[in-house]
Short mmCIF file of all heavy atoms in Angstrom, two decimals:
data_model
loop_
_atom_site.label_atom_id
_atom_site.label_comp_id
_atom_site.label_asym_id
_atom_site.label_seq_id
_atom_site.Cartn_x
_atom_site.Cartn_y
_atom_site.Cartn_z
N ALA A 828 -27.92 -21.05 -9.18
CA ALA A 828 -26.91 -20.57 -10.13
C ALA A 828 -25.58 -20.41 -9.42
O ALA A 828 -25.51 -20.18 -8.20
CB ALA A 828 -27.35 -19.24 -10.73
N TRP A 829 -24.52 -20.53 -10.22
CA TRP A 829 -23.18 -20.25 -9.71
C TRP A 829 -22.95 -18.74 -9.72
O TRP A 829 -23.29 -18.06 -10.69
CB TRP A 829 -22.11 -20.93 -10.57
CG TRP A 829 -22.03 -22.40 -10.42
CD1 TRP A 829 -22.51 -23.36 -11.25
CD2 TRP A 829 -21.39 -23.10 -9.34
NE1 TRP A 829 -22.24 -24.61 -10.77
CE2 TRP A 829 -21.54 -24.49 -9.59
CE3 TRP A 829 -20.72 -22.71 -8.18
CZ2 TRP A 829 -21.05 -25.46 -8.73
CZ3 TRP A 829 -20.23 -23.67 -7.33
CH2 TRP A 829 -20.40 -25.04 -7.61
N LEU A 830 -22.37 -18.21 -8.65
CA LEU A 830 -22.03 -16.80 -8.55
C LEU A 830 -20.51 -16.65 -8.51
O LEU A 830 -19.84 -17.35 -7.75
CB LEU A 830 -22.64 -16.18 -7.29
CG LEU A 830 -24.15 -16.32 -7.11
CD1 LEU A 830 -24.58 -15.66 -5.80
CD2 LEU A 830 -24.90 -15.72 -8.29
N ARG A 831 -19.99 -15.76 -9.33
CA ARG A 831 -18.54 -15.52 -9.34
C ARG A 831 -18.24 -14.46 -8.27
O ARG A 831 -18.40 -13.27 -8.50
CB ARG A 831 -18.09 -15.06 -10.71
CG ARG A 831 -16.58 -14.95 -10.86
CD ARG A 831 -16.17 -14.80 -12.31
NE ARG A 831 -16.84 -13.67 -12.93
CZ ARG A 831 -17.24 -13.64 -14.21
NH1 ARG A 831 -17.07 -14.69 -14.97
NH2 ARG A 831 -17.82 -12.57 -14.71
N ILE A 832 -17.79 -14.90 -7.11
CA ILE A 832 -17.60 -13.99 -5.99
C ILE A 832 -16.21 -13.35 -5.99
O ILE A 832 -15.95 -12.43 -5.21
CB ILE A 832 -17.83 -14.71 -4.65
CG1 ILE A 832 -16.88 -15.90 -4.48
CG2 ILE A 832 -19.27 -15.18 -4.55
CD1 ILE A 832 -17.01 -16.60 -3.15
N SER A 833 -15.31 -13.83 -6.84
CA SER A 833 -14.01 -13.18 -7.01
C SER A 833 -13.60 -13.32 -8.45
O SER A 833 -13.77 -14.38 -9.05
CB SER A 833 -12.96 -13.80 -6.09
OG SER A 833 -11.72 -13.15 -6.27
N ASP A 834 -13.04 -12.22 -8.98
CA ASP A 834 -12.73 -12.20 -10.40
C ASP A 834 -11.43 -11.44 -10.60
O ASP A 834 -11.11 -10.51 -9.85
CB ASP A 834 -13.86 -11.50 -11.17
CG ASP A 834 -13.76 -11.70 -12.67
OD1 ASP A 834 -12.77 -12.32 -13.10
OD2 ASP A 834 -14.66 -11.24 -13.39
N ALA A 835 -10.66 -11.83 -11.62
CA ALA A 835 -9.41 -11.14 -11.92
C ALA A 835 -9.65 -9.70 -12.34
O ALA A 835 -8.72 -8.89 -12.34
CB ALA A 835 -8.67 -11.88 -13.05
N TRP A 836 -10.88 -9.36 -12.68
CA TRP A 836 -11.19 -7.98 -13.04
C TRP A 836 -10.87 -7.02 -11.91
O TRP A 836 -10.52 -5.87 -12.13
CB TRP A 836 -12.67 -7.88 -13.42
CG TRP A 836 -13.13 -6.48 -13.75
CD1 TRP A 836 -13.88 -5.66 -12.99
CD2 TRP A 836 -12.82 -5.75 -14.95
NE1 TRP A 836 -14.08 -4.46 -13.62
CE2 TRP A 836 -13.43 -4.48 -14.83
CE3 TRP A 836 -12.08 -6.03 -16.08
CZ2 TRP A 836 -13.35 -3.51 -15.82
CZ3 TRP A 836 -11.99 -5.06 -17.07
CH2 TRP A 836 -12.62 -3.83 -16.94
N TYR A 837 -10.95 -7.51 -10.66
CA TYR A 837 -10.74 -6.65 -9.51
C TYR A 837 -9.27 -6.54 -9.15
O TYR A 837 -8.94 -6.09 -8.05
CB TYR A 837 -11.54 -7.17 -8.32
CG TYR A 837 -13.02 -7.12 -8.54
CD1 TYR A 837 -13.80 -8.27 -8.43
CD2 TYR A 837 -13.65 -5.93 -8.88
CE1 TYR A 837 -15.17 -8.23 -8.64
CE2 TYR A 837 -15.01 -5.88 -9.10
CZ TYR A 837 -15.77 -7.03 -8.97
OH TYR A 837 -17.11 -6.97 -9.20
N ILE A 838 -8.39 -6.94 -10.05
CA ILE A 838 -6.96 -6.81 -9.77
C ILE A 838 -6.56 -5.34 -9.64
O ILE A 838 -5.55 -5.00 -9.04
CB ILE A 838 -6.13 -7.52 -10.87
CG1 ILE A 838 -4.67 -7.69 -10.43
CG2 ILE A 838 -6.20 -6.75 -12.18
CD1 ILE A 838 -3.85 -8.50 -11.38
N LEU A 839 -7.38 -4.44 -10.21
CA LEU A 839 -7.10 -3.01 -10.12
C LEU A 839 -7.59 -2.40 -8.81
O LEU A 839 -7.28 -1.26 -8.51
CB LEU A 839 -7.75 -2.27 -11.29
CG LEU A 839 -7.26 -2.66 -12.68
CD1 LEU A 839 -8.02 -1.89 -13.74
CD2 LEU A 839 -5.78 -2.40 -12.83
N SER A 840 -8.35 -3.16 -8.05
CA SER A 840 -8.90 -2.63 -6.81
C SER A 840 -7.79 -2.42 -5.78
O SER A 840 -6.82 -3.18 -5.73
CB SER A 840 -9.96 -3.58 -6.24
OG SER A 840 -10.31 -3.22 -4.93
N GLU A 841 -7.96 -1.38 -4.97
CA GLU A 841 -6.99 -1.13 -3.91
C GLU A 841 -7.00 -2.21 -2.85
O GLU A 841 -6.08 -2.31 -2.04
CB GLU A 841 -7.29 0.23 -3.26
CG GLU A 841 -7.15 1.40 -4.23
CD GLU A 841 -7.72 2.67 -3.66
OE1 GLU A 841 -7.95 2.70 -2.45
OE2 GLU A 841 -7.93 3.62 -4.43
N PHE A 842 -8.05 -3.04 -2.81
CA PHE A 842 -8.16 -4.09 -1.81
C PHE A 842 -7.99 -5.47 -2.40
O PHE A 842 -8.35 -6.46 -1.78
CB PHE A 842 -9.50 -3.98 -1.09
CG PHE A 842 -9.59 -2.79 -0.20
CD1 PHE A 842 -10.10 -1.61 -0.66
CD2 PHE A 842 -9.10 -2.85 1.09
CE1 PHE A 842 -10.16 -0.50 0.15
CE2 PHE A 842 -9.15 -1.74 1.91
CZ PHE A 842 -9.69 -0.57 1.44
N TRP A 843 -7.46 -5.55 -3.61
CA TRP A 843 -7.18 -6.84 -4.21
C TRP A 843 -6.05 -7.52 -3.45
O TRP A 843 -4.95 -7.00 -3.33
CB TRP A 843 -6.79 -6.65 -5.68
CG TRP A 843 -6.32 -7.89 -6.37
CD1 TRP A 843 -5.04 -8.26 -6.61
CD2 TRP A 843 -7.14 -8.90 -6.95
NE1 TRP A 843 -4.99 -9.43 -7.29
CE2 TRP A 843 -6.28 -9.86 -7.52
CE3 TRP A 843 -8.50 -9.11 -7.03
CZ2 TRP A 843 -6.74 -10.99 -8.17
CZ3 TRP A 843 -8.96 -10.23 -7.69
CH2 TRP A 843 -8.09 -11.15 -8.25
N GLY A 844 -6.35 -8.68 -2.90
CA GLY A 844 -5.31 -9.42 -2.19
C GLY A 844 -5.10 -8.95 -0.77
O GLY A 844 -3.98 -9.01 -0.26
N SER A 845 -6.15 -8.48 -0.09
CA SER A 845 -5.98 -7.96 1.27
C SER A 845 -6.32 -8.97 2.34
O SER A 845 -6.61 -8.61 3.46
CB SER A 845 -6.85 -6.70 1.46
OG SER A 845 -8.20 -6.98 1.22
N GLY A 846 -6.33 -10.24 2.00
CA GLY A 846 -6.55 -11.27 3.01
C GLY A 846 -5.26 -11.71 3.65
O GLY A 846 -4.17 -11.35 3.20
N ALA A 847 -5.36 -12.47 4.69
CA ALA A 847 -4.18 -12.96 5.41
C ALA A 847 -4.22 -14.47 5.50
O ALA A 847 -5.28 -15.08 5.51
CB ALA A 847 -4.10 -12.35 6.80
N ALA A 848 -3.03 -15.06 5.57
CA ALA A 848 -2.94 -16.52 5.57
C ALA A 848 -3.55 -17.14 6.82
O ALA A 848 -3.93 -18.31 6.81
CB ALA A 848 -1.47 -16.94 5.45
N ASP A 849 -3.66 -16.36 7.91
CA ASP A 849 -4.17 -16.92 9.15
C ASP A 849 -5.67 -16.72 9.31
O ASP A 849 -6.22 -16.99 10.37
CB ASP A 849 -3.45 -16.32 10.35
CG ASP A 849 -3.56 -14.80 10.39
OD1 ASP A 849 -4.08 -14.23 9.40
OD2 ASP A 849 -3.12 -14.20 11.37
N ASP A 850 -6.36 -16.24 8.27
CA ASP A 850 -7.80 -16.08 8.35
C ASP A 850 -8.48 -17.44 8.38
O ASP A 850 -8.12 -18.36 7.63
CB ASP A 850 -8.32 -15.26 7.17
CG ASP A 850 -8.10 -13.78 7.37
OD1 ASP A 850 -8.21 -13.33 8.52
OD2 ASP A 850 -7.82 -13.08 6.38
N SER A 851 -9.49 -17.57 9.22
CA SER A 851 -10.21 -18.83 9.37
C SER A 851 -11.24 -18.97 8.26
O SER A 851 -11.91 -18.02 7.88
CB SER A 851 -10.89 -18.88 10.73
OG SER A 851 -11.81 -19.94 10.80
#
Side-chain angles (χ1 to χ4, degrees):
W829 287 102
L830 304 180
R831 187 167 56 215
I832 59 177
S833 180
D834 192 357
W836 177 255
Y837 295 123
I838 194 174
L839 298 178
S840 169
E841 297 168 14
F842 289 93
W843 173 261
S845 57
D849 57 353
D850 280 324
S851 168

